[in-house]
Amino acid sequence: MTEKLVAFFVGLFGFLGATVVGKNLTIFFVSMMPILELRGGMLAACLLGLKPALSLLICIIGNIIPIPLILWFITPVFNWFKKKKGLKKFANWCERHAQKSKGKIDALKYYGLFLFVAIPLPTTGAWTGCLIAALLGLDKKKSCIAAICGVVVAGLVMLLLSYGVLGGMCK
């Protein structure tokens, strides 16, 4: 499913794909998106034929940017959403989704958050991890550091997967 989403967004940002700068902007924006995040950005970089090291850096930065925003602002945003008829269901769905994974982080706190973000599997990542940390009321600064460290490790794992193990798909 991730590959299909990545291909969709690479096509969506296709007008940027004519230049290296455009391709780098594409992977940057894909890395910022929930669900795809860094995993999608690295797969997109591979599909676009970009250099691994620079792509890793761009994807890490793209995935890190939303972290403090989520940690500091998601609770007030969700509280506002819950007051709006059309957005209440979305806020409740996000919270239910986060509650399902809460146990993975709650027991180990910041180490759990780090591991949750670091292991690049579907439904894990910085967005969900930070949402859970906010719902648990974890310290925002410590959560931010744990999530950023997790993003870096996930980036290294995805670098090996995208350009190594799955590297054949890039050609």
Side-chain angles (χ1 to χ4, degrees):
M1 180 175 137
T2 302
E3 291 84 7
K4 288 181 183 178
L5 281 171
V6 169
F8 170 77
F9 282 106
V10 167
L12 184 67
F13 294 118
F15 65 94
L16 294 174
T19 67
V20 174
V21 172
K23 290 177 181 180
N24 287 328
L25 282 172
T26 299
I27 66 169
F28 177 76
F29 289 127
V30 167
S31 296
M32 290 179 73
M33 294 179 181
I35 301 171
L36 293 176
E37 300 190 41
L38 182 135
R39 294 182 303 273
M42 288 302 295
L43 289 172
C46 184
L47 290 171
L48 291 168
L50 295 172
K51 296 186 186 284
L54 180 59
S55 297
L56 176 63
L57 181 62
I58 291 168
C59 291
I60 286 173
I61 292 168
N63 201 192
I64 286 174
I65 287 173
I67 290 173
L69 299 173
I70 298 165
L71 289 170
W72 270 269
F73 299 112
I74 198 69
T75 303
V77 168
F78 275 5
N79 290 338
W80 183 80
F81 278 8
K82 289 176 185 177
K83 294 176 186 173
K84 305 297 177 193
K85 192 174 185 177
L87 297 173
K88 184 177 182 177
K89 283 184 180 181
F90 174 72
N92 289 332
W93 177 84
C94 288
E95 286 182 347
R96 278 194 313 276
H97 174 71
Q99 291 291 343
K100 289 179 188 175
S101 300
K102 185 173 113 173
K104 297 174 185 171
I105 292 177
D106 197 22
L108 298 172
K109 303 286 185 232
Y110 307 103
Y111 296 113
L113 176 59
F114 163 75
L115 290 171
F116 187 85
V117 175
I119 300 170
L121 294 172
T123 73
T124 68
W127 278 82
T128 305
C130 290
L131 174 59
I132 295 168
L135 291 174
L136 290 172
L138 296 179
D139 180 80
K140 289 171 178 44
K141 289 179 184 175
K142 291 178 183 177
S143 296
C144 192
I145 292 167
I148 289 170
C149 290
V151 165
V152 171
V153 170
L156 293 171
V157 170
M158 285 308 301
L159 176 69
L160 293 173
L161 288 174
S162 298
Y163 286 89
V165 176
L166 302 175
M169 72 177 214
C170 297
K171 297 176 175 110

